[in-house]
Amino acid sequence: MQFSLSSSPHNRVRRDTASVMRAVCYACIPGIMAQVWFFGWGVMIQLMLAIATALITEAGIMKLRRRNAKRILSDYSAVLTALLLAVSIPPLAPWWLIVIGTFFSIAIVKQLYGGLGFNMFNPAMGGYVMLLISFPLAMSMWLPVQSMALYPYNLTDALSVIFTGFSVSGYDITQLRLGIDGVTQATPLDAVRSSLLLGETYSEALQAPIFTSESGLSHGWAWVALAYLVGGLFLLWRKFISWHMPISMLAGVILTSGFLNMIMPDASGGVLFHLFSGAVLFGAFFIVTDPVSGSTTPKGRIIFGALIGFWTVIIRTFGGYPDAVAFAVLLMNIAVPLIDYYTQPRTYGARS
Amino acid sequence: MEAFAKIDILDRVDGAAVVEAIKAGQLHDFPGGVHPPEAKLLSNQAPIASMPVPKTLYIPLKQHAGIQGSLAVAVGDKVKKGQPLTHSSHPFAVPVHASTSGTIIEITAHSSAHASGLPESTIILEPDGAEEWHIMPPFDDYRSVEPVKLIERICDAGISGLGGAGFPTHIKTQHDHDVECLIINGIECEPYISSDDRIMREHAWQIKQGIDILRYLVKPKEIIIAIENNKPEAFEALKTACSSDASITMASVPTKYPAGGEKQLIKALTGHEVPRSGLPMDIGCMMFNVGTCFAIADAIIYGKALVQRVVTLTGEALDMPQNVWALLGTPMSDLLSFAKYQPTKQKRHKVIMGGPMMGFAVANDSVPVVKITNCVLVPAADELPDIDDEKPCIRCGYCTDACPAGLLPQQLYWYSKAKDYPKAEEYALADCIECGACAYVCPSEIPLVQYYRQAKAEIKAQLDEQQKSEKAKLRFEQRQARLEADKKAREEKHRKAAEARKAAMENNGGDAKAKIAAALARAKAKKQQAAKATNSDTSSTDNNESSE
Amino acid sequence: MSLFAFALMVLGLLALLFGAILGYSAVKFKVESDPLVDQIDAILPQTQCGQCGYPGCKPYAEAIANGDEINKCPPGGEATIKKLADLMGVEPKPLDSAHGVEDVKKIAYIREAECIGCTKCIQACPVDAIIGAAKQMHTVIIDECTGCDLCVAPCPVDCIDMVPVQETPANFKWHIGRNSGGTVGNIDIKQVS
């Protein structure tokens, strides 16, 4: 009787790439829910648009490369990229923005480099930075928390704004951005940045209405960040991601912002401000942990994460853009081969 | 332990300190490792059963890591149980023995107990059922015997490491270093396997006897018996057997695969590491498997050669999973029918020799049990998922976290796959112990170990090829030189002969000239005669030509 | 004018001086490198088969050093061509089929019953891998045979075969399934490219 042959090991964990990607998508759910709660249905529509674009783009490219599209699509990596990009752009941004961004992420940043596993830049962040540089105005159209908006919108409004530029009642995006006080709402990062640019001190900047209103916690922004933290802790707990990168990135943010705040307390944000505003918590657990474009050695992961935290605060404080997680990630993506090369672990029995 | 810092972990271990730490419950950790489902309960509940003698035994001439001996028997010979079938004076040769009494019916190439399944020279033995032993004289009081005699006996009894590597045991015991720690390995970290577990539970006393013999031969400062903490019964059995002996330390090691690997266990027990491309001996450690200890006692105290071993028959495709005493050479078919193999429970018929992590699939059901066969695993469909749908590496680094050798498996994978062997070697491919932890955790189902094995085999082949070509070059050059010298010598000889002739001619010139003229005339006459003959008789032409 | 002559003189002297320094250092600090021919020879497989058109590997190495093509060595095949291309700083090119095709490794085998003991193969063997004497049976030393094929043609009774080197468990290259008689299943992994 002949038996079939195979090579050892003959067992494996039942956790494949697709299930890892799916788990990361699920872990985004609390954050997405918080975003919908505070900023309305726009996020959901952006998500649908992004996922549809990503799948169509990926399938099209697989067809061009004569690969089995179904097999590739079922790894959920395109869905995850789309998701990460969709939650990073303003909820009521015009439809073409997310379509262009997702197409760029999948087709250029991911597939032109060889597809999953071969892209040297984080696809979602590549797409995001491309949008930020090309369409700065549209990318800054963030909304106020809906409970405090002058003109709150509903699902039909969201569809209408995204596809036509005007809500059902005829408001355009600039009107939708007005708070109940009739003033355009900025993000906490924008608020601090513009007051610092106007020569105010950091403590004066914190007097802006966004930080002082009764809803507290920067008008929902910090809640969203906390919701992503919950999802991230779930990933850590179930060991889908290793602790190295998120923890070291947060440490990088804390140390750098703490140091800057100490030497120039008036011209830079505090530790908590940096930690809970913008994409830091989201980035630490969902962006920096992208395995493909990150470092793989244990020491390398720590250096990679810490430097992303460092650059994030540095670019936020001295650079031209309010948030900088995406720039910091792309910057460190370039450094990955170098980091990996110099942080090879000590082999058993080798002299270090 | 870290408090003492500054200890060079590649230095010799200090046996006393190690034992003190173990007694205080301080163990170390080795990097990486995984926790696959153990599935040991499947087979470790019943005592080791004896099997009926098979109809035919297939005994490969080489069953250990080393050199094959030469045949000591011929087809048709009657042999007794335990009679050596091969012999050799090479230090790395270990004989094989007749596993039972009977007749040698054939010596031929037969499917090997190796991942390749390629045929290997094998003695085919037909048992006569008499089970008549060929006993070597037992050493009743081995302590009065010279160690060298005992070592010789260990070799003659055909003992090589029964843990899996199959390294000749007598080589290890004939050492000239001081041994700080003699480590008895009862870890058995591979899932499913319970042969060591059962032998420890049932034959702790004989294992103790084997340890005593090793103590006499090796003279270690300390003896440590290491057992994984998922085998409490085995631990108790050996503890009881060694309770009167204060010099033996029992260590219960946390369950983690591959804690039973030689290097990993040394790290876990002592905190020291075996230097790269070094041996445990270099840091004063020596390790034997519990099964090997049992076999050593058999050989020295009872005079029996290694003719059988405990084999775990397990997997959900067997109706009666259990441990058995199997004669070396027993074909798979006998084991499978003894354990009630249900082929219908498998989608693809697959039988693994060894455990799920490091075992290999056997080619067919006539592959025999050999000295390193500790388990025959027959998984039901879906019991063990196949690794057969390779997807791109996403550099998740799970493999790096799982590697017990501190390597970067995904880098090795890139370089092995790209056939960039120098780079793979730079990333210490040679230090990979092929434990399979990386492929086990890989979410992309990449058969990483398979890539490493191919790369290692290719590197070895290239090295062999290079050595061979250097040798060929040398031989070619030596031949050229020899031919050149021959040619010179011949020319010299011709020159000398010509000179001699010339000198002779000058000495009696007239005479020589006359001789030449006479010779020419003779030749002319002969030619004319031949021409005449051709004209007169054409049929003789052929003869003429052929005689020329 | 005198300025012009002066400039010429200075430049000429400088040229002489530097020339002298260069010449001196060329002699004094001569780097004894492995001559190119030896480096090439080290890459060639040393089968001494002559398929390249030269009588042995060393002559071909000399020819390459003098500008001959690097793709004339069938026993070395792609791997050797790649290494030669690296060494010579040229693009690798496919094996020139005029000199033969890359084949599995073979060694010579003399069917001893048919051997008449003519010693012709012994004379042809470039590495002295055949032993025997006149009117005595000859045989091949397997470990020394390079598989060059040169002994096959001279044999008057055609009793020399080139047999492929058998794969054994010891030199198994882990191509699971391929060697095991076909009926046995492959390790069918869908590979990514």
Side-chain angles (χ1 to χ4, degrees):
Chain A
M1 185 179 188
Q2 297 285 318
F3 296 128
S4 69
L5 293 178
S6 62
S7 180
S8 72
H10 306 279
N11 198 3
R12 61 176 166 83
V13 285
R14 291 174 203 245
R15 174 188 278 183
D16 58 7
T17 310
S19 63
V20 174
M21 297 287 174
R22 272 200 308 269
V24 179
C25 292
Y26 296 149
C28 283
I29 290 175
I32 294 171
M33 274 164 47
Q35 273 184 308
V36 171
W37 174 262
F38 288 108
F39 302 107
W41 288 103
V43 183
M44 291 309 284
I45 295 166
Q46 301 289 358
L47 259 177
M48 298 302 147
L49 279 173
I51 291 174
T53 312
L55 290 179
I56 292 169
T57 310
E58 183 119 314
I61 288 173
M62 282 306 121
K63 193 126 193 146
L64 282 177
R65 291 177 65 191
R66 294 171 214 282
R67 301 289 174 83
N68 181 349
K70 199 174 155 226
R71 183 160 173 254
I72 302 292
L73 290 184
S74 63
D75 67 21
Y76 284 85
S77 63
V79 174
L80 181 59
T81 299
L83 191 153
L84 297 179
L85 183 60
V87 300
S88 309
I89 73 165
L92 291 184
W95 63 272
W96 48 263
L97 196 72
I98 188 68
V99 169
I100 292 175
T102 314
F103 176 82
F104 184 83
S105 286
I106 299 290
I108 310 288
V109 186
K110 182 176 167 194
Q111 290 295 347
L112 274 194
Y113 282 86
L116 180 66
F118 299 93
N119 48 300
M120 71 178 289
F121 295 106
N122 184 313
M125 289 302 101
Y128 176 81
V129 165
M130 188 277 289
L131 291 178
L132 192 62
I133 294 174
S134 312
F135 311 101
L137 188 65
M139 285 295 283
S140 64
M141 291 293 171
W142 291 94
L143 297 176
V145 171
Q146 286 304 288
S147 58
M148 311 196 52
L150 188 57
Y151 309 110
Y153 69 95
N154 58 26
L155 187 58
T156 1
D157 285 330
L159 275 170
S160 177
V161 175
I162 288 171
F163 286 101
T164 67
F166 296 95
S167 73
V168 179
S169 346
Y171 298 120
D172 70 357
I173 185 75
T174 42
Q175 286 162 314
L176 290 171
R177 291 184 71 207
L178 297 176
I180 28 179
D181 51 2
V183 179
T184 301
Q185 287 287 324
T187 66
L189 280 168
D190 281 331
V192 168
R193 182 178 174 73
S194 39
S195 25
L196 289 182
L197 281 177
L198 289 173
E200 293 174 345
T201 63
Y202 172 58
S203 41
E204 280 168 349
L206 287 186
Q207 299 307 312
I210 192 162
F211 298 109
T212 53
S213 72
E214 67 273 23
S215 76
L217 286 172
S218 327
H219 280 201
W221 289 97
W223 284 114
V224 172
L226 280 171
Y228 280 112
L229 174 66
V230 170
L233 291 177
F234 163 79
L235 289 179
L236 263 188
W237 170 54
R238 298 308 304 271
K239 299 220 165 98
F240 282 103
I241 55 177
S242 76
W243 60 268
H244 302 78
M245 288 193 266
I247 301 300
S248 60
M249 171 179 168
L250 295 179
V253 168
I254 292 169
L255 290 178
T256 315
S257 58
F259 178 73
L260 283 181
N261 197 240
M262 209 164 63
I263 58 167
M264 34 191 263
D266 287 340
S268 67
V271 171
L272 284 180
F273 165 74
H274 275 298
L275 214 50
F276 286 98
S277 59
V280 166
L281 282 175
F282 169 66
F285 291 96
F286 294 90
I287 300 293
V288 178
T289 50
D290 169 44
V292 177
S293 54
S295 179
T296 55
T297 63
K299 257 188 242 160
R301 287 179 206 158
I302 292 176
I303 296 173
F304 177 75
L307 284 176
I308 288 178
F310 170 77
W311 286 119
T312 301
V313 176
I314 294 292
I315 300 175
R316 273 182 180 183
T317 311
F318 302 106
Y321 286 89
D323 203 355
V325 174
F327 293 109
V329 167
L330 294 188
L331 202 60
M332 290 314 295
N333 284 163
I334 308 175
V336 160
L338 187 75
I339 295 175
D340 277 0
Y341 185 80
Y342 284 106
T343 55
Q344 291 174 35
R346 189 185 68 90
T347 307
Y348 179 104
R351 295 249 168 239
S352 44
Chain B
M1 281 272 82
E2 300 308 317
F4 300 134
K6 292 295 166 205
I7 292 177
D8 187 343
I9 54 168
L10 300 185
D11 259 0
R12 280 179 67 80
V13 303
D14 174 1
V18 166
V19 163
E20 201 176 311
I22 290 173
K23 282 186 175 151
Q26 286 172 332
L27 286 175
H28 304 259
D29 194 16
F30 60 89
V34 291
H35 293 95
E38 289 167 23
K40 302 224 180 204
L41 284 175
L42 210 56
S43 58
N44 72 359
Q45 296 303 300
I48 307 171
S50 327
M51 276 184 54
V53 176
K55 278 206 182 68
T56 323
L57 289 169
Y58 301 87
I59 305 170
L61 290 186
K62 179 172 133 25
Q63 304 185 17
H64 67 284
I67 305 288
Q68 176 181 320
S70 41
L71 274 173
V73 288
V75 175
D77 283 5
K78 293 251 177 223
V79 290
K80 287 182 181 172
K81 184 170 185 168
Q83 181 180 332
L85 302 178
T86 61
H87 64 85
S88 170
S89 56
H90 192 283
F92 273 89
V94 170
V96 295
H97 300 81
S99 310
T100 185
S101 57
T103 316
I104 290 166
I105 54 172
E106 208 182 347
I107 299 173
T108 178
H110 182 81
S111 296
S112 59
H114 182 265
S116 65
L118 289 168
E120 252 185 348
S121 15
T122 303
I123 295 173
I124 302 180
L125 178 69
E126 193 177 64
D128 56 13
E131 294 279 294
E132 201 182 332
W133 267 97
H134 165 88
I135 296 273
M136 296 174 277
F139 295 110
D140 293 324
D141 180 16
Y142 61 82
R143 283 187 180 82
S144 60
V145 182
E146 261 182 277
V148 92
K149 285 254 162 63
L150 300 181
I151 291 170
E152 211 176 300
R153 164 63 57 85
I154 289 172
C155 176
D156 290 343
I159 300 175
S160 56
L162 297 183
F167 189 80
T169 302
H170 67 277
I171 301 279
K172 271 205 231 174
T173 49
Q174 65 195 159
H175 68 99
D176 44 11
H177 304 272
D178 287 337
V179 176
E180 291 280 340
C181 292
L182 172 66
I183 301 168
I184 307 300
N185 186 343
I187 296 284
E188 201 166 52
C189 58
E190 269 264 355
Y192 283 93
I193 308 180
S194 60
S195 55
D196 284 352
D197 184 8
R198 283 313 311 188
I199 204 172
M200 285 190 284
R201 291 195 207 185
E202 295 175 35
H203 300 280
W205 280 105
Q206 190 168 333
I207 293 171
K208 169 74 166 57
Q209 286 177 316
I211 296 173
D212 286 339
I213 296 167
L214 284 172
R215 175 185 0 228
Y216 174 65
L217 292 177
V218 176
K219 301 187 178 50
K221 293 217 174 81
E222 302 289 346
I223 300 176
I224 303 166
I225 302 178
I227 298 172
E228 226 170 29
N229 63 8
N230 59 358
K231 290 181 265 295
E233 299 89 348
F235 188 86
E236 280 310 314
L238 270 173
K239 197 174 172 189
T240 314
C242 303
S243 56
S244 60
D245 194 336
S247 65
I248 296 180
T249 310
M250 300 289 297
S252 179
V253 178
T255 302
K256 176 163 96 169
Y257 178 84
E262 191 172 55
K263 292 176 165 184
Q264 280 65 37
L265 183 54
I266 287 175
K267 172 81 178 173
L269 293 175
T270 69
H272 286 237
E273 293 183 1
V274 182
R276 285 176 73 180
S277 64
L279 292 171
M281 223 30 261
D282 300 340
I283 56 166
C285 290
M286 191 179 277
M287 193 179 290
F288 292 93
N289 173 264
V290 284
T292 313
C293 296
F294 181 89
I296 290 173
D298 246 2
I300 304 285
I301 298 174
Y302 307 100
K304 288 179 179 173
L306 179 61
V307 295
Q308 62 173 8
R309 66 159 297 147
V310 184
V311 179
T312 305
L313 309 177
T314 187
E316 285 169 14
L318 298 179
D319 274 357
M320 291 174 60
Q322 58 185 309
N323 279 283
V324 296
W325 281 109
L327 296 177
L328 300 182
T330 306
M332 286 299 116
S333 48
D334 280 72
L335 296 173
L336 293 178
S337 60
F338 186 74
K340 305 252 180 310
Y341 170 45
Q342 301 298 332
T344 49
K345 285 192 182 171
Q346 287 188 312
K347 239 188 281 168
R348 286 197 300 156
H349 298 311
K350 181 162 144 184
V351 173
I352 298 161
M353 190 177 282
M357 301 298 284
M358 291 184 79
F360 56 88
V362 297
N364 56 53
D365 64 354
S366 68
V367 169
V369 168
V370 293
K371 289 173 187 172
I372 58 165
T373 308
N374 48 9
C375 178
V376 172
L377 168 60
V378 196
D382 298 328
E383 186 180 354
L384 298 174
D386 283 328
I387 299 183
D388 61 355
D389 185 16
E390 180 176 338
K391 292 186 270 294
C393 169
I394 55 166
R395 294 165 41 94
C396 61
Y398 293 168
C399 50
T400 310
D401 297 337
C403 182
L407 304 172
L408 287 175
Q410 84 276 24
Q411 299 290 355
L412 290 176
Y413 156 70
W414 289 120
Y415 295 127
S416 299
K417 193 170 181 175
K419 303 196 193 307
D420 187 349
Y421 301 128
K423 206 80 180 145
E425 281 179 302
E426 192 186 314
Y427 278 83
L429 177 64
D431 285 317
C432 166
I433 57 169
E434 299 177 20
C435 68
C438 50
Y440 174 75
V441 296
C442 181
S444 295
E445 290 183 50
I446 302 171
L448 294 159
V449 183
Q450 172 69 12
Y451 282 111
Y452 306 152
R453 288 197 186 108
Q454 284 182 341
K456 281 181 180 176
E458 202 57 53
I459 289 170
K460 183 171 166 284
Q462 282 182 3
L463 205 68
D464 288 351
E465 198 79 345
Q466 201 186 329
Q467 280 168 354
K468 205 172 166 192
S469 87
E470 271 161 25
K471 204 165 72 171
K473 189 177 162 195
L474 193 69
R475 287 178 75 89
F476 177 66
E477 281 165 1
Q478 282 171 347
R479 178 186 153 90
Q480 294 296 92
R482 195 189 73 222
L483 291 180
E484 196 63 29
D486 281 357
K487 201 174 150 199
K488 277 226 179 80
R490 207 164 47 238
E491 277 168 2
E492 182 68 17
K493 213 168 88 186
H494 286 180
R495 195 177 54 79
K496 276 197 180 138
E499 266 172 18
R501 260 202 314 280
K502 214 172 166 189
M505 241 156 51
E506 269 161 21
N507 277 351
N508 41 11
D511 189 27
K513 268 181 189 160
K515 270 185 187 164
I516 290 170
L520 281 176
R522 271 203 306 280
K524 213 174 181 180
K526 212 172 189 177
K527 229 180 193 171
Q528 277 168 352
Q529 226 169 11
K532 263 182 208 160
T534 318
N535 288 341
S536 61
D537 186 6
T538 42
S539 67
S540 68
T541 317
D542 289 347
N543 293 340
N544 256 352
E545 270 175 9
S546 62
S547 66
E548 260 168 11
Chain C
M1 191 60 207
S2 69
L3 195 68
F4 181 71
F6 180 70
L8 263 185
M9 206 172 66
V10 169
L11 279 178
L13 277 176
L14 276 175
L16 261 176
L17 180 69
F18 287 131
I21 294 175
L22 275 177
Y24 173 75
S25 37
V27 177
K28 177 76 183 172
F29 303 110
K30 190 176 180 197
V31 181
E32 285 293 340
S33 75
D34 212 6
L36 185 59
V37 174
D38 284 352
Q39 289 183 49
I40 299 171
D41 198 27
I43 293 172
L44 294 173
Q46 305 300 331
T47 46
Q48 320 294 354
C49 63
Q51 289 184 63
C52 50
Y54 297 94
C57 293
K58 189 80 177 259
Y60 181 42
E62 279 159 7
I64 292 178
N66 290 327
D68 199 356
E69 293 292 349
I70 57 169
N71 59 348
K72 294 184 176 177
C73 179
E78 291 297 319
T80 298
I81 293 174
K82 209 167 149 243
K83 280 189 208 156
L84 285 173
D86 272 355
L87 177 67
M88 303 296 291
V90 296
E91 283 298 310
K93 42 182 92 170
L95 184 66
D96 185 351
S97 56
H99 294 274
V101 286
E102 196 172 354
D103 202 356
V104 292
K105 201 160 160 33
K106 290 180 174 170
I107 51 170
Y109 171 76
I110 297 178
R111 291 195 301 277
E112 290 165 357
E114 294 166 39
C115 174
I116 53 169
C118 68
T119 75
K120 286 201 167 113
C121 56
I122 297 181
Q123 289 158 34
C125 180
V127 291
D128 287 336
I130 301 179
I131 47 172
K135 312 258 174 178
Q136 307 290 322
M137 178 195 83
H138 303 345
T139 197
V140 176
I141 310 172
I142 292 174
D143 285 347
E144 309 295 351
C145 176
T146 62
C148 69
D149 239 15
L150 292 179
C151 54
V152 176
C155 180
V157 292
D158 281 338
C159 73
I160 304 182
D161 293 325
M162 296 305 293
V163 291
V165 177
Q166 284 292 319
E167 192 166 33
T168 64
N171 65 12
F172 177 52
K173 286 195 177 168
W174 287 91
H175 304 296
I176 286 188
R178 200 196 65 189
N179 313 286
S180 313
T183 53
V184 187
N186 267 332
I187 158 169
D188 20 77
I189 293 160
K190 291 174 211 149
Q191 300 252 326
V192 290
S193 50

